[in-house]
Amino acid sequence: MSAYIDAPAESSAVPPHSRTATPKPRRARWVRPAYWGSLLLAALVYCYGLGQNGNANSYYAAAVLSGTKSWSAMFYGSLDAGNFITVDKPPFALWLMELSCRILGFGSWQMLLPIAACGVASVAVLYSAVRRSFGTVAATVAAVVLALTPITVAINRDNNPDPVLVLLTVSAAWFCLEAIRRGTLRHLVISAVLVGFAFNTKMLQAYMVLPALFLAYVWAAQGSWLVRVRNLLVAGVALVVSSGWWMVVVDSIKDHPFIGSSSDGTVWNLVIGYNGLERVLGANAGNGTGGTGGAGGGANFGGTSGAGRLFNDILGAQISWLIPFAVVAVVGALVLRGRRRRTDPQRASLLLWGMWLLTHYVVFSFSSGTFHPYYTTMLAPAIAALTGAGGTMLLRALRSPARKPVWAAVLPLGIVVSAVWAVLLLRRTTSFAPWLWPVVAVLALGGVVALLVARFGASSVATAVRKRVLAVGALAAALALVAGPAAYAADTVTAGAIQGTNPTAGPSSGDGFGGPGGGMRGGFPGGVRGEFPGGAGGFPGGTSTGSSAGQSGFPGGTSAGDSSGRSGQSGQSGQAGFPGGTSAGSSGGTSGGTAPGGAAGGATGELPGGAAGALGGLGDGLRSGDRAGGFGGGMGGGMGGTVSSALLSYLEKNQGSTTWLVAVSSAQSASELILQSGKPVIAMGGFTGSDPAMTLAKMKSLISSGKLRYVLLGSGGFGGGMGGPGGGDANSAATDYVKSICTAVSPSAYGGTSSGGTSSGSTSSGSTSSTGASSTGASSSASSGQTLYECTS
């Protein structure tokens, strides 16, 4: 080990067409096992028990299912196979999951396997990038740190697109560094194309790596300024083409689906609005038409913006464990490179990863738009690379007699600062592994002492002994720094299913909105794992019982709590809320019920199969008696609600030759219906019910052409989900039209109850409530403030 610490790499640029073979250094025996071991570790934490995550994010799961049924839906990234509306992201990540499901069949692990594979591939690419400049020890450390970063473990077990984004951007960094090392234009162009693919995964977030790539190339690439500028211009053309081709094609098609979370139905609006400036500046930034631009209007799950956001109770244990060490390492390593030649590949790599870290830190810390903890997985590659590369450079400086004694203090400083921070993070959740923080402290202290002894020990001590002490000290320090992230990663893997909409790692440690107490366990933050803040029945300002608009969850959502103050499982649709019936929680805090796939519901606020992550008053709720097995082998979880099995059977029986099974208010309800039935369902208002996707003209056309027969409306229509009444007059006009020309279906036709009935919260699947309907039927559309309309042409 010490041999590799001593001599990794005084790297030199390789001439682009050099035919001279450079003799390769002899590998130590541990090198290959270390490489494959790091990949095996990543595969284990990303893939173990993958199928238990069910639908993960049911919004994207529904789009994946639709893409397996229609090639056009796959191309557009449509939520439904009928191509009424797309999801809120470009489709590149969906394509990977859809291809997997087309080959292997639709199911949980089949859908999530490509995402986990992207995570493992990211570890391999980062290993290669670091090894080429800093040696095998640095590369192994970087790979292990990336593999065990808590939020990275969580998101790589989900179907959000971020793992694909990470792989593409890390690969772009690899090719950029190769362009610098080799002096070739080809590698730079490939780097730009990969960023373009990343753009078609998560739009403008992909461009956050461009400052790092630009700085490294401009500073360190071979050739004159003119040559470097010319190469960058060529790469810029490749970036524009690879980024914009899908947007241009889709927006040029006259009858393309409405682009979800846009305000005018175009991809361009989605780029500059919801997936662009709104993420940084808040709701409606860059949205020229004044629409809501999608979900949340700046919904913040990461705490108050500011310099300390990444270290708060919500994000701290997700990503910040090694940020202090990475900062010390990159500063020290850059100073060590001193006055090396401009094209020095090691300094170029340090500049790239340092700027990557700085750019993401600034944007994520100070953005005021919609923010989820899992976004911070984009910091992980930079933190890992700087920890491995900078750490090994500081270790060589510590042991080198040629260096000034002050350098012997830099590495211990980084270890102590990060170890203290790790202890503070671990003590935030005193019930989680209370023995771990003393172990971290002892290992860090012992490691620092051993390193100093190896540097300043008596000169009479044999060199071999000094090397052994140095190796022991370095190993102890490394274990101290990765122990916390490893424990959180292990807890994420073994704790059961994650909540796919807002996945987080480890035990509860924050309220999701920057306040003390509460916690996030892969779901909506709150006092109990996965609940809303402070046990409220909804978003901030909610109360545990929630009786009026704005108090319990979404506007108008009623969510009666149990005796412990936790919200009931279903919320009343109310005014502009998500569809769902009033469902009072039992005094014992349970809500019984059978989730899709037959998994019994656990305590109130939990997802099917005991998965942590309450939805409180959100949506229709996962009610007892839902169709067992669902679609794809019993997939459950995610965000959204289901209708009763009786209503779903009625819709399927009477669909006839129509294209869509039913039209509902939002994608959250539509997603679950698509997953249960496998048939197209219209989400009239997009992700939250606030997109102006359904107009009066569209509604008339769909009904008159016989493509749509049933419309399920709540008492507040479909124009005011989480994002507010963004649908405006168009949605209201369509709603009024349905009410005026369509016939309301009596709930008795499908086993429901009359309007105004409520469920008393029976905990037995299929048992009869006091109203005389089963616990599933009692929560059906009519009793939840919803009405099913039949429309004939």
Side-chain angles (χ1 to χ4, degrees):
M1 176 177 177
S2 59
Y4 274 83
I5 292 173
D6 238 353
E10 277 300 326
S11 305
S12 58
V14 178
H17 303 293
S18 174
R19 297 177 182 271
T20 304
T22 303
K24 294 183 179 180
R26 208 167 93 184
R27 284 182 176 173
R29 293 179 179 177
W30 60 268
V31 171
R32 193 175 297 276
Y35 170 70
W36 289 107
S38 63
L39 296 188
L40 181 61
L41 174 65
L44 178 65
V45 296
Y46 300 159
C47 298
Y48 176 79
L50 199 60
Q52 69 185 343
N53 290 324
N55 287 338
N57 188 332
S58 60
Y59 179 54
Y60 296 124
V64 170
L65 177 58
S66 298
T68 65
K69 295 177 175 295
S70 165
W71 287 106
S72 61
M74 180 176 176
F75 173 76
Y76 288 121
S78 294
L79 177 69
D80 60 283
N83 287 317
F84 178 80
I85 193 170
T86 72
V87 295
D88 60 355
K89 298 292 185 293
F92 190 82
L94 293 176
W95 290 345
L96 300 182
M97 292 182 279
E98 288 161 351
L99 287 174
S100 175
C101 290
R102 280 181 177 268
I103 296 170
L104 301 173
F106 180 75
S108 180
W109 70 266
Q110 296 96 321
M111 174 178 63
L112 298 177
L113 185 61
I115 301 300
C118 286
V120 177
S122 296
V123 173
V125 174
L126 184 70
Y127 178 97
S128 176
V130 175
R131 182 188 62 80
R132 287 169 179 263
S133 292
F134 300 96
T136 309
V137 171
T140 303
V141 171
V144 171
V145 170
L146 178 59
L148 294 179
T149 300
I151 193 60
T152 299
V153 174
I155 195 61
N156 284 334
R157 299 171 62 82
D158 189 39
N159 60 352
N160 279 287
D162 297 72
V164 181
L165 176 69
V166 170
L167 174 59
L168 291 170
T169 51
V170 171
S171 299
W174 189 96
F175 278 98
C176 181
L177 290 173
E178 283 300 292
I180 293 170
R181 190 189 321 277
R182 296 173 179 268
T184 56
L185 175 61
R186 179 180 73 255
H187 288 88
L188 185 65
V189 171
I190 295 174
S191 176
V193 170
L194 288 169
V195 176
F197 288 167
F199 178 89
N200 283 308
T201 301
K202 216 173 176 196
M203 292 192 166
L204 288 184
Q205 187 178 345
Y207 285 178
M208 288 173 62
V209 304
L210 290 179
L213 305 182
F214 178 83
L215 173 65
Y217 189 84
V218 167
W219 181 273
Q222 301 175 41
S224 65
W225 276 103
L226 185 61
V227 170
R228 280 174 276 164
V229 170
R230 179 205 65 189
N231 290 349
L232 285 171
L233 289 175
V234 173
V237 173
L239 175 65
V240 170
V241 173
S242 59
S243 297
W245 73 269
W246 181 81
M247 174 177 62
V248 171
V249 169
V250 172
D251 280 350
S252 65
I253 297 174
K254 181 179 180 181
D255 296 324
H256 67 74
F258 187 93
I259 304 301
S261 294
S262 69
S263 62
D264 64 2
T266 64
V267 181
W268 174 248
N269 180 266
L270 186 65
V271 171
I272 64 173
Y274 178 69
N275 283 332
L277 296 178
E278 286 187 29
R279 297 285 172 167
V280 178
L281 304 178
N284 299 325
N287 194 330
T289 59
T292 63
N300 177 10
F301 297 92
T304 304
S305 61
R309 173 187 263 184
L310 298 184
F311 304 92
N312 66 22
D313 286 346
I314 305 161
L315 301 179
Q318 303 300 315
I319 192 62
S320 74
W321 298 87
L322 288 168
I323 288 179
F325 185 87
V327 171
V328 172
V330 69
V331 172
L334 284 171
V335 173
L336 284 171
R337 296 316 291 170
R339 297 182 178 180
R340 305 279 175 169
R341 66 185 184 280
R342 179 183 60 80
T343 57
D344 176 40
Q346 286 192 349
R347 183 167 53 198
S349 183
L350 293 169
L351 286 173
L352 187 152
W353 297 116
M355 179 57 72
W356 182 308
L357 177 62
L358 178 62
T359 302
H360 285 81
Y361 167 78
V362 171
V363 174
F364 288 158
S365 294
F366 297 99
S367 63
S368 57
T370 301
F371 186 83
H372 288 274
Y374 62 82
Y375 296 172
T376 60
T377 190
M378 278 295 292
L379 286 158
I383 294 171
L386 294 174
T387 298
T392 53
M393 289 184 66
L394 294 180
L395 184 58
R396 292 197 301 275
L398 177 142
R399 65 166 297 184
S400 174
R403 295 288 181 185
K404 294 181 180 180
V406 68
W407 282 105
V410 179
L411 179 60
L413 173 65
I415 293 169
V416 169
V417 172
S418 277
V420 169
W421 179 237
V423 168
L424 293 174
L425 288 174
L426 289 169
R427 286 178 61 83
R428 285 179 176 178
T429 51
T430 55
S431 61
F432 175 72
W435 52 269
L436 185 56
W437 73 263
V439 172
V440 170
V442 170
L443 284 172
L445 180 60
V448 167
V449 170
L451 292 173
L452 294 177
V453 167
R455 174 66 172 85
F456 297 110
S459 58
S460 59
V461 178
T463 301
V465 174
R466 285 174 178 266
K467 286 185 176 181
R468 291 191 184 97
V469 173
L470 183 79
V472 170
L475 180 61
L479 290 175
L481 297 187
V482 301
Y488 268 63
D491 181 75
T492 304
V493 173
T494 59
I498 60 172
Q499 199 283 316
T501 305
N502 192 45
T504 55
S508 304
S509 61
D511 68 359
F513 291 85
M520 290 181 68
R521 175 65 186 104
F524 288 94
V528 186
R529 282 189 176 192
E531 286 190 335
F532 288 97
F539 279 107
T543 64
S544 60
T545 56
S547 58
S548 61
Q551 285 188 315
S552 177
F554 299 90
T558 304
S559 176
D562 61 16
S563 62
S564 64
R566 286 179 282 178
S567 63
Q569 196 168 9
S570 300
Q572 181 178 326
S573 176
Q575 296 299 317
F578 275 79
T582 304
S583 177
S586 68
S587 62
T590 60
S591 58
T594 301
T604 300
E606 291 187 351
L607 286 174
L615 298 185
L618 174 64
D620 301 303
L622 295 172
R623 302 175 186 135
S624 60
D626 287 330
R627 178 168 299 187
F631 210 85
M635 298 176 66
M639 181 178 182
T642 61
V643 299
S644 68
S645 58
L647 176 55
L648 183 57
S649 296
Y650 175 86
L651 291 170
E652 291 177 325
K653 180 180 178 181
N654 294 281
Q655 180 184 5
S657 60
T658 60
T659 302
W660 286 276
L661 180 68
V662 66
V664 296
S665 61
S666 72
Q668 304 312 319
S669 298
S671 297
E672 294 297 342
L673 282 165
I674 291 169
L675 291 168
Q676 289 177 82
S677 68
K679 297 184 177 182
V681 175
I682 288 179
M684 296 184 286
F687 183 71
T688 62
S690 60
D691 290 354
M694 179 62 80
T695 63
L696 176 59
K698 284 184 182 179
M699 182 65 78
K700 288 182 176 180
S701 175
L702 291 172
I703 293 174
S704 63
S705 63
K707 295 180 179 180
L708 178 65
R709 184 176 183 181
Y710 291 105
V711 180
L712 186 62
L713 296 180
S715 59
F718 56 86
M722 189 161 54
D729 293 338
N731 284 353
S732 299
T735 301
D736 293 340
Y737 177 76
V738 169
K739 292 178 179 179
S740 65
I741 67 102
C742 300
T743 304
V745 179
S746 171
S748 62
Y750 49 85
T753 60
S754 60
S755 180
T758 60
S759 166
S760 61
S762 170
T763 61
S764 301
S765 176
S767 64
T768 302
S769 70
S770 60
T771 61
S774 70
S775 57
T776 59
S779 296
S780 62
S781 64
S783 64
S784 61
Q786 295 174 299
T787 303
L788 179 67
Y789 288 89
E790 181 178 5
C791 308
T792 55
S793 55

